[in-house]
Amino acid sequence: MNGTRWYASPLFGTAGVIAGLALIAIPLRHLTAARPVELVVRPETQEKQGKTPAVLRLKLLDPVSRLRIETVDGDAILESAAMPAGESEHDVQLPLHGGMADLRVSLAAGDAETAVFLTLMPDGHQDRTLYLTGSGTLEETLHYEWNSH
């Protein structure tokens, strides 16, 4: 073998590949053989506030000029001025007491008959959909209930 062409030999190429694999084997060992990190979810904030994070999906068949959703205690969950027809999702904090939640819905719709669908998706529970229909100013209390298993 020529002294100036030693880097072109198959033996040198194989040694270079093995050296490269050896260098990345050390970090790969830490990724593949390390013990998994256990994540502990602590519901401390949920216990302190007594509220569960949830997603509220609101579906309006017609536009409304005013919308307010609140708990029976009077705490506002969602308050909005004019909203167009369609579907929207909102992150809310929902007070669940014994797997139940009561929400007061008040809205000002047009003179034509319309419907509003409210779907609640609290963390750890199935989604529930309730609706109200009517025209003009609508005010109703919706009762949501989840089975606790």
Side-chain angles (χ1 to χ4, degrees):
M1 184 159 58
N2 190 349
T4 59
R5 298 199 28 129
W6 60 270
Y7 58 86
S9 73
L11 183 61
F12 181 75
T14 304
V17 169
I18 290 175
L21 288 175
L23 287 175
I24 66 168
I26 295 169
L28 287 177
R29 184 184 152 274
H30 291 292
L31 288 175
T32 58
R35 291 186 182 155
V37 177
E38 294 183 24
L39 298 176
V40 179
V41 179
R42 296 183 182 154
E44 295 170 350
T45 57
Q46 183 177 340
E47 291 174 0
K48 289 179 183 175
Q49 298 174 356
K51 294 185 178 183
T52 303
V55 174
L56 171 69
R57 182 179 297 147
L58 182 65
K59 186 174 185 179
L60 303 170
L61 294 185
D62 293 318
V64 296
S65 60
R66 177 186 53 84
L67 174 71
R68 180 172 171 85
I69 301 171
E70 61 185 17
T71 64
V72 289
D73 299 332
D75 297 332
I77 292 178
L78 179 67
E79 194 167 4
S80 175
M83 289 187 75
E87 192 170 312
S88 61
E89 289 188 355
H90 310 276
D91 293 327
V92 296
Q93 294 292 322
L94 188 67
L96 286 179
H97 303 290
M100 296 183 291
D102 292 320
L103 300 180
R104 279 191 211 137
V105 180
S106 61
L107 59 101
D111 294 333
E113 187 79 15
T114 189
V116 177
F117 296 89
L118 287 102
T119 303
L120 280 178
M121 297 173 274
D123 285 353
H125 299 287
Q126 293 180 338
D127 55 328
R128 297 276 187 250
T129 301
L130 296 177
Y131 64 93
L132 57 127
T133 60
S135 61
T137 302
L138 301 172
E139 291 188 20
E140 191 170 332
T141 301
L142 301 176
H143 177 73
Y144 291 89
E145 186 170 347
W146 292 271
N147 295 333
S148 58
H149 296 283

